[in-house]
Amino acid sequence: MPLHDQPLAPLPGAPTAGPGRHGPGPQLLGLLVFLAASALVAGLGGLATVNNVNGWYATADKAPWSPPNGAFGPVWTALYTAMAVAAWLVWRRRDAASRPALAAYAVQLALNLLWTPVFFGLYPALGTLALWIGFAIIVALAVAVSVTVLRFGPISRAAGLLMLPYLSWIVFAASLNLWAALHN
């Protein structure tokens, strides 16, 4: 048989069809669900940000290493996509450790969702206190993302690696949050 007519062998470590594995339809649906969850969190966060980024935040004392506001959208889009793919990779393994790993993922996603309205939305009402509450949330988020990375890695190395840029960004964002809390 010519080389181009031979069936492709599965990649080493790739899940194969069989009991407990998802077929192509459920695989695609699963990925779409994780992407939709990320898009929902991003969208809700955007609603909390849109009214304040050009309001109080425009005149706030920001860290000297703060990127321009236009950088946040593309960075978050890439991070939310990578997070969704990472969660999907863990979900599709259906490993015994997948459920607690995905629970850790859900916790960090909830903390991610909570941070934006607290930091941006509550500042006009609470002032600096909102920034300190936001800082406490983002520190908890960094811990939750770290736990997620540690749980994802043994199930899918790619999933663990896909979460590392997000963890780095959260630590960076925490530094911006801390500066804001100390200087506003």
Side-chain angles (χ1 to χ4, degrees):
M1 173 176 349
L3 183 59
H4 65 275
D5 290 337
Q6 293 180 5
L8 294 174
L11 295 172
T16 57
R21 298 288 179 203
H22 304 285
Q27 286 286 333
L28 179 59
L29 180 59
L31 177 58
L32 292 175
V33 166
F34 285 109
L35 288 168
S38 282
L40 178 65
V41 170
L44 292 173
L47 289 175
T49 305
V50 73
N51 292 330
N52 295 297
V53 79
N54 292 321
W56 74 266
Y57 189 72
T59 59
D61 186 353
K62 295 178 205 64
W65 57 91
S66 286
N69 288 344
F72 288 92
V75 168
W76 275 113
T77 299
L79 293 174
Y80 278 123
T81 302
M83 290 165 49
V85 171
W88 173 71
L89 289 171
V90 169
W91 169 80
R92 67 192 291 244
R93 288 293 180 118
R94 299 188 78 138
D95 187 275
S98 293
R99 177 170 268 167
L102 291 171
Y105 179 81
V107 167
Q108 69 79 26
L109 202 59
L111 287 167
N112 179 308
L113 177 60
L114 182 61
W115 180 83
T116 306
V118 168
F119 181 87
F120 285 102
L122 289 183
Y123 183 82
L126 299 179
T128 303
L129 177 60
L131 305 179
W132 284 110
I133 295 168
F135 183 68
I137 292 168
I138 205 165
V139 168
L141 175 58
V143 170
V145 174
S146 297
V147 169
T148 303
V149 169
L150 292 172
R151 289 191 176 269
F152 276 18
I155 299 166
S156 166
R157 182 181 179 124
L161 292 172
L162 280 169
M163 293 293 289
L164 290 178
Y166 173 48
L167 178 58
S168 300
W169 185 259
I170 293 301
V171 171
F172 174 70
S175 76
L176 299 176
N177 188 150
L178 179 60
W179 177 278
L182 289 170
H183 295 93
N184 289 285

